[in-house]
Amino acid sequence: MGVPDDIDALVDEARAAIAAARSTEDIRNVAALVSGKKSPLAAASRGLGGLEPDARKEAGRRLHEARTTIEDLVERRRTDIKFEELSRQMEDSRVDLTEFIGGSIAAPATRGHLHLVTQTRDALEDVFVGMGFEVAEGPEIETDWFNFGALNIPPAHPARGMWDTFYLNLGAPETTVLRTHTSPVQVHLMEEAVVDGGLPIHAVMPGRCYRRDTPDARHLPVFHQIEGLVVDKGITFADLAGTIEVFTTAYFGPDIHSRLRPAYFPFTEPSAEYEITCTICHGEGCRTCSQTGWIELGGCGMVDPAVFDAVGIDPDQWTGFAFGFGIDRCAQMRHQIADMRALTENDFRFLRQF
Ligand SMILES: [Zn+2]
């Protein structure tokens, strides 16, 4: 082997092989090939012995340089490969936090809002609080006494047929029901007022109610009511009618008015149905209001003296009125929702409109 002539080519070949190595295993194999015992470099070194002393010295120096260059190249490539492999490993195990930070890369974050029924309840409370009412709440499971008895509806009274009731526990020790209206909260308030000397009462009571109704366009088995109660001295039917009219225009707008028509409820005497100007035709007459221009919203009346007796309030000293209507119905009328079931179906296309 003509040592001096081949050294540059030998280094170039080694350089190419080293650059082509892609993994730790590759570089180990390449290192053996270019600088190991069986490498051309080692063979050339062994060939030095057959040279003249001067030529041997010169060739030895050049071979030493070549070995240093090759071994240096191997070490550098080994370091690079280690770094590349580590980077690949980190890339593979990386969690892309940008998908979660503000959702800027994935879907944009959407902010929800209160359900229409909750918005309606809040708006109704605001109107009544503005009129001087307090907001009160009560339990959704009631005893027979609070839901019926104290409200002048004794057991077996035919008026119980007006409420298709979910009974939870019939009879002993006490009959309990899912409240069919928010009226039991009135009884709680009046009983507490008698104990605490809390009269007069000016309160509204929003809440969830339950009846065995099959869902349809105008009825839900779980629905929301808001009820009002005033107990004070010298309260008359005119106060009731005035309160309802002020509320109606405040909530529905100045061109929607109220009217009261005689009705029957066991706990008020006299009683009235509370109707408002049809929100669809504004009183002109349309299919929704059966061409009358009016839509029924709820019921109201003067608190029956028998209810005062039941809770221990002296009906000769105190008078009062009560009214109640559906919050869901209110939302339906104000936003002209054709089918009340849309309120419980959780369809975003519907909910996003409010
Ligand atoms: Zn109408």
Side-chain angles (χ1 to χ4, degrees), residues 278 281 285-286 289:
C278 176
C281 65
C286 69
C289 59

Side-chain angles (χ1 to χ4, degrees), residues 177-198:
V177 302
L178 288 176
R179 68 178 177 193
T180 57
H181 44 194
T182 42
S183 307
V185 188
Q186 295 187 17
V187 180
H188 287 290
L189 278 184
M190 288 190 282
E191 287 195 342
E192 283 162 22
V194 168
V195 174
D196 304 341

Side-chain angles (χ1 to χ4, degrees), residues 279-344:
T279 52
I280 312 256
C281 65
H282 287 253
E284 302 264 307
C286 69
R287 267 201 358 226
T288 304
C289 59
S290 308
Q291 308 301 331
T292 63
W294 296 92
I295 297 180
E296 187 196 336
L297 192 64
C300 60
M302 302 303 290
V303 179
D304 194 304
V307 173
F308 281 147
D309 277 337
V311 296
I313 290 176
D314 179 0
D316 291 330
Q317 266 200 56
W318 302 90
T319 50
F321 64 78
F323 58 87
F325 51 88
I327 295 174
D328 319 78
R329 183 69 56 84
C330 225
Q332 185 180 28
M333 302 235 178
R334 180 156 165 179
H335 299 284
Q336 288 143 36
I337 298 163
D339 192 323
M340 203 182 261
R341 285 170 290 193
L343 294 172
T344 61

Side-chain angles (χ1 to χ4, degrees), residues 230-252:
V230 169
V231 179
D232 208 335
K233 290 184 172 162
I235 297 291
T236 69
F237 202 92
D239 297 310
L240 167 60
T243 301
I244 288 202
E245 174 65 12
V246 168
F247 158 73
T248 303
T249 51
Y251 182 73
F252 288 98

